[in-house]
Amino acid sequence: MNNSFYTPTRQATIGIVANFLNTSQKLVRGFAPLLLIIFVNKKMDISVSIWGMVLLGCVIAMAIAYLSYRNFLFYIDEQTNSFVIQKGIINKSKVTIQLDKIQQVNLNQNFINRLINVYSVEIDSAGSKDKEATIPSMALEDANILKQILLDYKKEFSNINVSQDDGIPVLENEQIQEANRISFSTLLKVGVTSNYLYTLGAIMLFFNMLYESLAKSFSVENYVNTEEVTAYVERGVPALVLFWLILLIVITVLIVNIVRTFLKFWDFKAVLSRGTLMLSQGLISTRNTIIRPERVQKIEVEQNYFQKLFDICALKISQVAGEDNENKKSGLQIPGCSFEEKEALLSLLMAPQKADYHTVLKYNYRYFGFRLFLLIGIPVFTFTFIFRTEFALNMFLLITCSYTIVMTLVLYRLYRVGRLYVNDSFIVVRKGVWDVSYTYLEPHKIQKIVLSQLWWQESADVGSMRIYTAGGIVSFSTTQYSELVRLRDEWLYRVESTNLQWM
């Protein structure tokens, strides 16, 4: 089967079914407004129209599915050391990827693919922010073998077998060193202790969209006495009602968080084999990813107070992304790690960590003062100038004082937490308010360093720094500028003099 990848090869035949189902759901979404018009228009024969459209849609979907399958070919071109994909029904296209540029190969399984037991293969190369190519339908064994050939194309691949336990290819003469799974209890801890604000925002957005949709369809005044509601709010909401409302919001956020966590990270496996880390996760849609240490650009370790009590933290791994302005590519996430597991992963994916740091920089007090002016002084002044007459004095004071106190505490926390740690192995930037993150990067993987200093900062020896890597930008501002200059020169010298590869 291995040699077949060196000649034009088609997807798994069952992929026609996957193409049909995917095309059908796109057609349903596309023709949904027309179906609505048919139901609303009483003059049309609804049954004949609906069944006619269903039949026509099935014929179109089947034709597209079959032609997509017939015209989709992929193969490895040994003469040019490249991977080639040809596809298209009317507009033909040919994608060519140099094998030595392939950054990552992922095996994914959405709900439709899971029903028919096939995987999609996503190929990502350095220099692009998007997936270069996708093979929609392959059997697991073939997909695993192709993945390993693409990532290790210079090595002999005839001795690759597929492990029976995890479906991950390993060499016959080598063993899987370690396979870690995230337990049910750890996923529960992750769901309870993370993403509060994100989930709350998503819930509020959902209910706002639902309310607007209902308001357009039904007249609110016919069902709700808005004057009575307004009078009730103006009299003041009882403390007990506020308590139950807050409790309901907290419970809803936790439930949604837990559900999202289990859907995304169910059956999470981290398999260490031959110096690489392979991740597998997902309940409805399964995703398989291989991480090669030499291509890891930075690692972000995130932990809040509750996660610290449970001895878990989250890791976000950023590999080579595209252009500088597109380097905010979503990283690979490991949701629940203990302290020992985190140290082991850092040692595997980067250099072994050293405990001591020869340089530790913190924010200058101007960092706190300037943000007090920018985020409290200006907004409070603007709010006072525009809305002072719109509120009663007590309400106005409550709003401005509450905002000032909360923002002051947040900014002070940012100021106190911020640190830049440097040793021979790592550059570490610590930031955060509730979720405190540690961003690790190795000096030899730096692409560019930009130092900046405003004219009024010169006398105080204060400045800022931005470190550009192929996996994103790391910044640290308002600190000792002369020390930043020394560190920049030291890191650039190491980049020029080291033999270590950045990818």
Side-chain angles (χ1 to χ4, degrees), residues 43-56:
K43 297 180 180 180
M44 299 181 65
D45 189 338
I46 294 178
S47 61
V48 174
S49 301
I50 292 296
W51 285 111
M53 292 188 64
V54 169
L55 180 59
L56 178 61

Side-chain angles (χ1 to χ4, degrees), residues 245-434:
L245 179 61
I246 293 173
L247 183 62
L248 177 62
I249 292 174
V250 170
I251 293 175
T252 304
V253 167
L254 291 178
I255 291 175
V256 173
N257 254 356
I258 293 172
V259 172
R260 287 181 62 252
T261 300
F262 275 88
L263 288 176
K264 185 176 182 179
F265 297 110
W266 177 257
D267 195 27
F268 186 98
K269 295 187 290 286
V271 180
L272 173 61
S273 176
R274 295 184 294 148
T276 62
L277 188 66
M278 288 169 277
L279 307 179
S280 175
Q281 66 190 61
L283 181 60
I284 296 178
S285 297
T286 303
R287 182 178 181 85
N288 296 273
T289 305
I290 187 169
I291 301 173
R292 303 176 70 178
E294 65 272 16
R295 292 180 175 177
V296 172
Q297 301 300 302
K298 60 187 180 75
I299 297 178
E300 184 177 339
V301 180
E302 192 173 85
Q303 187 180 55
N304 57 42
Y305 177 75
F306 292 142
Q307 291 173 334
K308 188 174 182 180
L309 293 178
F310 288 132
D311 187 29
I312 59 172
C313 62
L315 268 70
K316 184 178 180 182
I317 303 168
S318 297
Q319 301 192 89
V320 178
E323 300 176 356
D324 285 346
N325 61 346
E326 300 291 349
N327 275 336
K328 295 182 178 179
K329 181 181 178 181
S330 58
L332 306 170
Q333 190 173 357
I334 303 176
C337 291
S338 65
F339 176 80
E340 291 78 12
E341 291 170 337
K342 183 260 294 185
E343 295 296 320
L345 286 170
L346 283 176
S347 299
L348 167 67
L349 299 175
M350 290 186 170
Q353 187 177 6
K354 297 181 179 179
D356 57 325
Y357 294 95
H358 58 69
T359 302
V360 179
L361 297 180
K362 61 181 181 179
Y363 291 132
N364 185 275
Y365 71 89
R366 289 171 176 80
Y367 175 92
F368 182 57
F370 177 72
R371 282 158 180 78
L372 281 177
F373 169 75
L374 184 66
L375 299 176
I376 296 179
I378 294 178
V380 170
F381 174 80
T382 304
F383 182 77
T384 303
F385 181 77
I386 298 176
F387 298 105
R388 170 63 188 90
T389 58
E390 302 294 328
F391 296 92
L393 179 61
N394 292 340
M395 180 60 67
F396 173 79
L397 292 176
L398 177 63
I399 294 174
T400 54
C401 291
S402 299
Y403 175 80
T404 301
I405 292 172
V406 171
M407 287 301 300
T408 301
L409 293 175
V410 168
L411 293 176
Y412 183 73
R413 172 67 174 170
L414 280 172
Y415 167 71
R416 293 289 297 174
V417 168
R419 291 291 186 276
L420 173 65
Y421 301 98
V422 181
N423 63 19
D424 295 335
S425 301
F426 289 119
I427 302 167
V428 183
V429 176
R430 186 179 75 178
K431 293 182 178 180
V433 180
W434 173 253

Side-chain angles (χ1 to χ4, degrees), residues 80 85 112 197 246 268 402 444 448:
T80 60
I85 290 182
I112 292 176
L197 292 180
I246 293 173
F268 186 98
S402 299
H444 70 272
K448 181 173 68 173

Side-chain angles (χ1 to χ4, degrees), residues 179 187 478:
L187 284 179
T478 323

Side-chain angles (χ1 to χ4, degrees), residues 203-261:
I203 292 173
M204 293 177 64
L205 179 62
F206 170 77
F207 279 106
N208 182 62
M209 294 175 60
L210 181 63
Y211 174 79
E212 290 183 353
S213 300
L214 293 176
K216 291 179 180 179
S217 303
F218 306 98
S219 178
V220 177
E221 289 78 7
N222 295 335
Y223 301 93
V224 179
N225 189 332
T226 55
E227 294 182 358
E228 185 176 342
V229 172
T230 303
Y232 178 78
V233 173
E234 290 178 350
R235 290 196 301 268
V237 181
L240 184 60
V241 174
L242 286 176
F243 170 78
W244 286 111
L245 179 61
I246 293 173
L247 183 62
L248 177 62
I249 292 174
V250 170
I251 293 175
T252 304
V253 167
L254 291 178
I255 291 175
V256 173
N257 254 356
I258 293 172
V259 172
R260 287 181 62 252
T261 300

Side-chain angles (χ1 to χ4, degrees), residues 154 183 262 322:
K154 292 181 180 179
S183 65
F262 275 88

